[in-house]
Amino acid sequence: MNDFSVAKREILDLMNKCIAEPRAVRKENGPVVEKVHVPVSKQARFVCPGCYNLRRLQAQTGVTISQVDEETFSVFAPTPGALSEAKDLIGEICKDDMDFAAVHAATEISNTVNSDDYTKSNLMEKIRDDNEQ
């Protein structure tokens, strides 16, 4: 055996005498890893062009994010608090901020406005009638 192997074995023997087994209870401020599900439909908003949101999230919270598979990201955080903050920000980035009823109403109005069959007063009357139904 060479000197390196002997020295390595002696160091490991000393370590085993001091720390024979892992802690029974995790430290409350130890690093944590969690997988976060981000649907494919939200990933464009989450990652953003040039990974802007991803970089901002990592810089702001101190976490490291890596993609595991198509819809799963691994979030490594130095503390549970950082993980919680990162998950909140991910939820904020990925939340639905569109009211589908409003989008539908806007589509109906734009379809009606583009029609030459209605005058402005007829259009307003049609909108009122549609809202009452």
Side-chain angles (χ1 to χ4, degrees):
M1 268 195 212
N2 60 22
D3 291 337
F4 177 73
S5 296
V6 173
K8 181 179 167 185
R9 180 164 310 280
E10 286 179 20
I11 291 171
L12 289 173
D13 288 340
L14 285 173
M15 288 175 61
N16 283 334
K17 288 178 186 174
C18 295
I19 306 171
E21 60 187 48
R23 288 186 179 142
V25 179
R26 283 193 53 166
K27 289 172 66 176
E28 79 179 44
N29 277 339
V32 288
V33 177
E34 190 169 315
K35 291 183 180 175
V36 177
H37 177 78
V38 179
V40 174
S41 61
K42 307 286 185 202
Q43 285 183 15
R45 184 181 294 174
F46 176 58
V47 176
C48 214
C51 298
Y52 174 76
N53 281 339
L54 210 53
R55 288 185 197 159
R56 181 176 59 92
L57 180 73
Q58 290 180 16
Q60 193 172 348
T61 61
V63 301
T64 302
I65 300 174
S66 55
Q67 191 164 10
V68 176
D69 61 31
E70 193 173 299
E71 293 189 341
T72 308
F73 289 82
S74 175
V75 181
F76 172 82
T79 64
L83 178 66
S84 176
E85 184 181 354
K87 286 172 55 177
D88 290 345
L89 287 172
I90 290 169
E92 226 175 85
I93 291 168
C94 295
K95 75 176 179 179
D96 286 329
D97 54 333
M98 288 212 282
D99 180 7
F100 290 105
V103 171
H104 177 70
T107 304
E108 288 294 318
I109 291 170
S110 68
N111 289 342
T112 308
V113 169
N114 291 333
S115 174
D116 294 331
D117 296 338
Y118 296 98
T119 63
K120 184 176 179 181
S121 60
N122 287 345
L123 175 62
M124 295 306 290
E125 187 176 320
K126 179 167 177 27
I127 292 170
R128 268 188 248 115
D129 290 344
D130 286 347
N131 286 338
E132 289 174 2
Q133 294 177 0

